Amino acid sequence: MPDTETVTQRVDRMLAALAPGQRAALQSLRETIALIAPDAEEAISYGMPAFRYRDKALVAYGAFAHHCAFYPMSGTLIEEHRDALGAFATAKGTLQFTPAEPLPRSVVELVVRARMTSIDAH
């Protein structure tokens, strides 16, 4: 029997399996990304919910035992914008946050727009 589940349905299922706080935080992040990048498509990347833009990885996000994570899918973006990202820049390739302290829309917008600009330039 072929798998007929769409990417959106798979992401819905992945989020539904999370604890309520994480689910709400990541659903909000998902909706914010979709608003900022309406031409991006939902995808799965490295087993996590993600978005693709112009057929390239844009951003991804996920939940872990003690935090949520937002992945810019760029090895340099976090370092280039460290001052603007503030306390959320916790590792080379990820911004970690909790449902109690979600990423501000301004941070999500900065990351998504920077990634789109980078993709557009190549």
Side-chain angles (χ1 to χ4, degrees):
M1 172 185 237
D3 183 6
T4 59
E5 184 177 49
T6 68
V7 171
T8 297
Q9 289 169 330
R10 186 170 171 199
V11 172
D12 287 343
R13 185 173 44 79
M14 293 168 84
L15 295 181
L18 299 174
Q22 287 181 322
R23 180 174 50 250
L26 293 185
Q27 181 62 35
S28 177
L29 179 59
R30 178 189 191 188
E31 292 168 4
T32 300
I33 296 164
L35 286 172
I36 295 166
D39 293 334
E41 299 176 349
E42 282 197 293
I44 303 294
S45 183
Y46 297 99
M48 294 180 292
F51 281 84
R52 294 184 64 77
Y53 173 71
R54 297 193 175 184
D55 213 29
K56 302 223 184 301
L58 180 64
V59 294
Y61 55 94
F64 300 90
H66 301 289
H67 69 277
C68 296
F70 183 43
Y71 298 90
M73 308 300 272
S74 164
T76 60
L77 188 140
I78 289 176
E79 196 56 43
E80 290 169 357
H81 298 281
R82 184 158 299 280
D83 291 342
L85 299 174
F88 293 103
T90 59
K92 181 177 179 180
T94 183
L95 300 174
Q96 296 179 356
F97 62 98
T98 64
E101 290 187 54
L103 293 173
R105 180 187 166 102
S106 61
V107 168
V108 176
E109 189 161 358
L110 172 77
V111 169
V112 172
R113 291 199 187 284
R115 285 292 298 135
M116 290 170 62
T117 297
S118 176
I119 291 167
D120 287 341
H122 294 97

